[in-house]
Amino acid sequence: MERPDNDTYFMMMADLVSTRSTCLRRHVGAVIVKEKRVLSTGYNGAPRGIKHCAEVGCVREKNNVESGTRHELCRGVHAEQNAVIQAAYFGVSIKDGKIYTTAFPCVLCAKILVNAGIREVVYKDDYVDDLSKSILEESKVKIRRFDGSFEVSR
């Protein structure tokens, strides 16, 4: 196996982190890096100490909530949010960092990333949220789609 470049390496990590997701609809993983070092990770799922959607069902599915809308109607915390929270919990500054995420951030995550000082978002899969893109662009956060592919071989 060839040694992956940094983008592939960190996106592979985000993809691996997403396997911990407890969301029934979409598994998302995020990795925050700075100077080519991992600072924090996060995946989408219920807050610490409460039951996962796999145990109690999906509020969004039960109420026919369309993807990309009404983010507050969910038990889960988004992967990007959890990565920022994990860094704060352990006192790690992510200012001027870069986030690798398996899905384009929603508007709530975009606002958090801007205020946390993230300077670049590298994402794998699209997620329809025009306001999110607008906020990131207006804030001068660099947005880049991961254009590589990878397979994990063992």
Side-chain angles (χ1 to χ4, degrees), residues 73-119:
L73 296 177
C74 181
R75 293 178 67 81
V77 180
H78 290 186
E80 301 90 337
Q81 294 168 358
N82 271 327
V84 171
I85 291 164
Q86 182 186 61
Y89 189 87
F90 289 105
V92 176
S93 172
I94 59 174
K95 182 177 183 268
D96 297 325
K98 180 187 304 189
I99 189 166
Y100 287 83
T101 181
T102 59
F104 192 85
C106 73
V107 68
L108 299 176
C109 290
K111 292 186 282 187
I112 289 169
L113 295 173
V114 167
N115 277 356
I118 294 294
R119 294 289 166 235

Side-chain angles (χ1 to χ4, degrees), residues 59-71:
V59 173
R60 295 177 64 79
E61 282 183 0
K62 288 177 185 173
N63 292 296
N64 297 315
V65 178
E66 185 179 341
S67 181
T69 66
R70 305 293 313 270
H71 299 290

Side-chain angles (χ1 to χ4, degrees), residues 124-142:
K124 187 170 84 169
D125 297 327
D126 280 322
Y127 181 75
V128 180
D129 195 330
D130 293 333
L131 183 56
S132 173
K133 184 177 181 187
S134 172
I135 285 173
L136 291 169
E137 287 174 348
E138 185 178 342
S139 302
K140 307 282 190 275
V141 172
K142 184 177 179 184

Side-chain angles (χ1 to χ4, degrees), residues 18-33:
S18 77
T19 65
R20 295 280 303 152
S21 171
T22 59
C23 179
L24 299 175
R25 296 176 98 181
R26 173 177 299 162
H27 290 202
V28 180
V31 175
I32 298 176
V33 302

